[in-house]
Amino acid sequence: TDADIELARDARAVVFGFGVKCPPSAAAAAKTSEVDVVCDKVVYKLLDEAGDRLVAMSPKHRREDVVGTAQVLATFKARKTASSGEKSVRTAAGLRVNDGRMEKSAPSDGRSFDGPPTFRVMRGDEEVYRGPAAALYHHKQEVQAMNAGQECGITLQDFEAFEVGDVVECIQVLLESPRIVTVQGGGVRVLAPDETDVDA
């Protein structure tokens, strides 16, 4: 009804109708108020639509994954020439990748990431740096990734105080959508990606 459209407009909500048609006056009011109206005679289609909309409205969850670890074997000076022609010298760390991959960019595999990888420098149990990489090198050539067993060089954006023995971790921050589950008796629930469905 027109009253439902008015309530949905004020609440920024969606109107769902089961087994009914939207009256012309309400449809006109919905168009004017930019309110979505979804009607269907199949209740499960409405539940699926409601679930999809809840997922789209819910914030994504951030999950940190350590995708690679490496040990600092040595330090050296790395020279770089910017596109403007300006030359700079930074202290770089020579690394051996022990596990996983060191990645300068997030992979293009369909998943959603919160920006490029972050690098964490650990000195014993102490975190001494956390931030992005400036460059990743292999035989003086810039690369995007290095695998376990390989050696490479790295410069970080705001850190040069490497020490031999430091551990450098490559961290990807994955953005995960919540899950929708059907509850007993009808309806849906929104669960965090790692939340257990108690009704399952």
Side-chain angles (χ1 to χ4, degrees):
T1 65
D2 290 12
D4 294 323
I5 302 301
E6 185 175 348
L7 288 172
R9 179 199 64 200
D10 295 340
R12 298 182 180 178
V14 179
V15 176
F16 289 91
F18 171 55
V20 296
K21 292 183 177 180
C22 183
S25 62
K31 184 176 181 180
T32 302
S33 302
E34 297 183 344
V35 171
D36 288 343
V37 178
V38 182
C39 295
D40 206 295
K41 60 184 179 181
V42 180
V43 67
Y44 291 107
K45 290 184 178 180
L46 290 175
L47 289 174
D48 288 343
E49 178 68 21
D52 291 342
R53 288 175 180 263
L54 283 171
V55 168
M57 293 168 57
S58 300
K60 291 194 174 184
H61 295 257
R62 298 174 79 256
R63 190 189 80 201
E64 289 192 355
D65 286 341
V66 177
V67 297
T69 61
Q71 188 169 19
V72 176
L73 303 178
T75 61
F76 59 94
K77 295 297 182 182
R79 293 172 173 80
K80 185 173 182 178
T81 302
S83 56
S84 62
E86 182 180 355
K87 296 182 179 180
S88 62
V89 179
R90 299 286 308 278
T91 299
L95 308 176
R96 177 186 293 118
V97 183
N98 295 326
D99 299 292
R101 284 166 58 88
M102 307 299 284
E103 302 175 332
K104 190 173 182 294
S105 304
S108 302
D109 57 7
R111 293 179 295 170
S112 179
F113 296 92
D114 187 14
T118 296
F119 289 83
R120 178 168 58 197
V121 180
M122 299 295 297
R123 189 164 296 153
D125 295 328
E126 180 185 3
E127 179 182 308
V128 296
Y129 173 80
R130 186 186 183 101
L136 194 63
Y137 299 95
H138 184 60
H139 297 313
K140 297 184 179 181
Q141 298 294 319
E142 287 199 38
V143 295
Q144 291 299 311
M146 295 295 291
N147 296 315
Q150 295 180 309
E151 294 186 0
C152 60
I154 191 172
T155 54
L156 302 176
Q157 282 196 5
D158 302 302
F159 183 81
E160 296 186 61
F162 295 103
E163 292 185 5
V164 174
D166 286 347
V167 173
V168 180
E169 298 176 338
C170 179
I171 301 170
Q172 297 278 17
V173 180
L174 184 65
L175 298 176
E176 297 183 308
S177 297
R179 296 182 297 116
I180 293 295
V181 296
T182 304
V183 299
Q184 294 180 0
V188 294
R189 291 179 58 220
V190 180
L191 299 180
D194 57 352
E195 186 177 355
T196 301
D197 180 12
V198 294
D199 295 325

